[in-house]
Coordinates of all heavy atoms in Angstrom, one line a residue:
G151 N 48.4 84.2 2.5 CA 47.5 83.1 2.2 C 46.7 82.7 3.4 O 45.9 81.7 3.3
N152 N 46.8 83.3 4.5 CA 46.1 82.9 5.7 C 44.8 83.6 5.9 O 44.0 83.2 6.7 CB 47.0 83.1 7.0 CG 47.5 84.5 7.1 OD1 47.4 85.3 6.2 ND2 48.1 84.8 8.2
M153 N 44.6 84.7 5.2 CA 43.4 85.6 5.5 C 42.1 84.9 5.1 O 41.2 84.9 5.9 CB 43.6 86.9 4.8 CG 44.8 87.7 5.4 SD 45.2 89.1 4.3 CE 44.5 90.4 5.3
L154 N 42.0 84.5 3.9 CA 40.8 83.9 3.4 C 40.4 82.6 4.1 O 39.3 82.4 4.6 CB 40.8 83.7 1.9 CG 39.4 83.5 1.2 CD1 38.4 84.6 1.7 CD2 39.6 83.5 -0.3
P155 N 41.4 81.6 4.3 CA 41.1 80.4 5.1 C 40.7 80.8 6.5 O 39.8 80.1 7.1 CB 42.4 79.6 5.1 CG 43.1 80.1 3.8 CD 42.7 81.5 3.7
A156 N 41.3 81.7 7.1 CA 40.9 82.1 8.5 C 39.5 82.7 8.5 O 38.8 82.4 9.4 CB 41.9 83.1 9.1
L157 N 39.2 83.5 7.6 CA 37.8 84.1 7.5 C 36.8 83.0 7.3 O 35.8 83.0 8.0 CB 37.7 85.1 6.4 CG 36.4 85.7 6.1 CD1 35.9 86.5 7.4 CD2 36.4 86.6 4.9
T158 N 37.2 82.0 6.5 CA 36.2 80.9 6.3 C 36.0 80.1 7.6 O 34.9 79.7 7.9 CB 36.8 79.9 5.2 OG1 37.0 80.7 4.0 CG2 35.9 78.8 4.9
I159 N 37.1 79.8 8.3 CA 37.0 79.1 9.6 C 36.1 80.0 10.5 O 35.3 79.4 11.3 CB 38.4 78.9 10.2 CG1 39.1 77.8 9.4 CG2 38.2 78.4 11.7 CD1 40.5 77.6 9.8
C160 N 36.2 81.3 10.5 CA 35.4 82.1 11.4 C 33.9 82.0 11.0 O 33.0 81.9 11.8 CB 35.8 83.6 11.2 SG 37.4 84.0 12.0
I161 N 33.6 81.9 9.7 CA 32.3 81.8 9.2 C 31.7 80.5 9.7 O 30.6 80.4 10.2 CB 32.2 81.9 7.7 CG1 32.5 83.4 7.3 CG2 30.8 81.5 7.2 CD1 32.7 83.5 5.8
F162 N 32.5 79.4 9.5 CA 32.0 78.1 10.0 C 31.8 78.1 11.5 O 30.9 77.5 12.0 CB 33.0 77.0 9.7 CG 32.9 76.4 8.3 CD1 34.0 76.3 7.5 CD2 31.7 76.0 7.8 CE1 34.0 75.8 6.2 CE2 31.6 75.5 6.5 CZ 32.7 75.4 5.7
S163 N 32.7 78.8 12.3 CA 32.6 78.9 13.7 C 31.3 79.6 14.1 O 30.6 79.1 15.1 CB 33.8 79.7 14.3 OG 35.0 79.0 14.1
F164 N 30.9 80.6 13.4 CA 29.6 81.3 13.7 C 28.5 80.3 13.5 O 27.5 80.3 14.2 CB 29.4 82.5 12.9 CG 30.2 83.7 13.4 CD1 31.1 84.4 12.6 CD2 30.0 84.2 14.7 CE1 31.8 85.5 13.0 CE2 30.7 85.3 15.2 CZ 31.6 85.9 14.3
G165 N 28.5 79.5 12.4 CA 27.5 78.5 12.1 C 27.4 77.5 13.3 O 26.3 77.2 13.7
I166 N 28.6 77.1 13.8 CA 28.6 76.1 14.9 C 28.0 76.7 16.1 O 27.2 76.1 16.8 CB 30.0 75.6 15.1 CG1 30.5 74.8 13.9 CG2 30.1 74.8 16.4 CD1 32.0 74.5 13.9
L167 N 28.5 77.9 16.5 CA 28.1 78.6 17.7 C 26.6 78.9 17.7 O 25.9 78.8 18.7 CB 28.9 79.9 17.9 CG 30.3 79.7 18.3 CD1 31.1 81.0 18.3 CD2 30.4 79.1 19.7
G168 N 26.1 79.4 16.6 CA 24.7 79.8 16.5 C 23.7 78.8 16.0 O 22.5 79.0 15.9
R169 N 24.3 77.5 15.7 CA 23.5 76.5 15.1 C 22.7 77.0 13.9 O 21.5 76.7 13.7 CB 22.5 75.9 16.1 CG 23.1 75.2 17.3 CD 23.7 73.9 16.9 NE 24.4 73.3 18.1 CZ 25.5 72.6 17.9 NH1 26.0 72.4 16.7 NH2 26.1 72.0 18.9
D170 N 23.4 77.8 13.1 CA 22.9 78.4 11.9 C 23.4 77.8 10.7 O 24.6 78.1 10.3 CB 23.2 79.9 12.0 CG 22.4 80.7 11.0 OD1 21.9 80.2 10.0 OD2 22.2 82.0 11.2
G171 N 22.6 77.1 10.0 CA 23.0 76.4 8.7 C 23.3 77.3 7.6 O 24.0 77.0 6.7
V172 N 22.7 78.5 7.6 CA 22.9 79.5 6.6 C 24.4 79.9 6.6 O 25.1 80.1 5.6 CB 22.0 80.7 6.7 CG1 22.4 81.8 5.8 CG2 20.6 80.3 6.4
W173 N 24.9 80.1 7.8 CA 26.4 80.4 8.0 C 27.2 79.3 7.5 O 28.3 79.4 6.9 CB 26.7 80.8 9.4 CG 26.3 82.2 9.8 CD1 25.1 82.6 10.1 CD2 27.2 83.4 9.8 NE1 25.1 84.0 10.3 CE2 26.4 84.5 10.1 CE3 28.5 83.5 9.5 CZ2 26.9 85.7 10.2 CZ3 29.0 84.8 9.6 CH2 28.2 85.9 10.0
T174 N 26.8 78.0 7.8 CA 27.5 76.9 7.3 C 27.5 76.9 5.8 O 28.6 76.6 5.2 CB 26.8 75.6 7.8 OG1 26.8 75.6 9.3 CG2 27.6 74.3 7.4
L175 N 26.4 77.2 5.1 CA 26.4 77.2 3.7 C 27.3 78.4 3.2 O 28.0 78.2 2.2 CB 25.0 77.5 3.2 CG 24.0 76.3 3.3 CD1 22.6 76.7 2.9 CD2 24.5 75.1 2.5
A176 N 27.3 79.5 3.8 CA 28.2 80.6 3.5 C 29.7 80.1 3.6 O 30.6 80.5 2.8 CB 28.0 81.8 4.3
G177 N 29.9 79.3 4.7 CA 31.3 78.8 4.9 C 31.7 77.8 3.8 O 32.8 77.8 3.3
L178 N 30.7 77.1 3.2 CA 31.0 76.2 2.1 C 31.4 77.0 0.9 O 32.4 76.6 0.2 CB 29.8 75.3 1.8 CG 29.5 74.2 2.8 CD1 28.1 73.5 2.5 CD2 30.6 73.1 2.9
V179 N 30.7 78.0 0.6 CA 31.1 78.9 -0.5 C 32.5 79.5 -0.3 O 33.3 79.5 -1.2 CB 30.0 80.0 -0.7 CG1 30.5 81.0 -1.8 CG2 28.7 79.4 -1.1
A180 N 32.7 80.0 0.9 CA 34.0 80.6 1.2 C 35.1 79.6 1.1 O 36.2 79.9 0.7 CB 34.0 81.3 2.6
F181 N 34.8 78.3 1.5 CA 35.8 77.2 1.4 C 36.2 77.0 0.0 O 37.4 76.9 -0.3 CB 35.2 75.9 2.0 CG 36.1 74.7 1.9 CD1 37.2 74.5 2.7 CD2 35.9 73.8 0.8 CE1 38.0 73.4 2.6 CE2 36.8 72.8 0.7 CZ 37.8 72.6 1.5

Side-chain angles (χ1 to χ4, degrees):
N152 55 350
M153 296 166 105
L154 197 52
L157 178 62
T158 304
I159 291 173
C160 289
I161 292 169
F162 278 131
S163 296
F164 281 125
I166 293 166
L167 287 169
R169 298 284 178 217
D170 192 338
V172 172
W173 281 82
T174 301
L175 291 174
L178 289 172
V179 171
F181 174 81

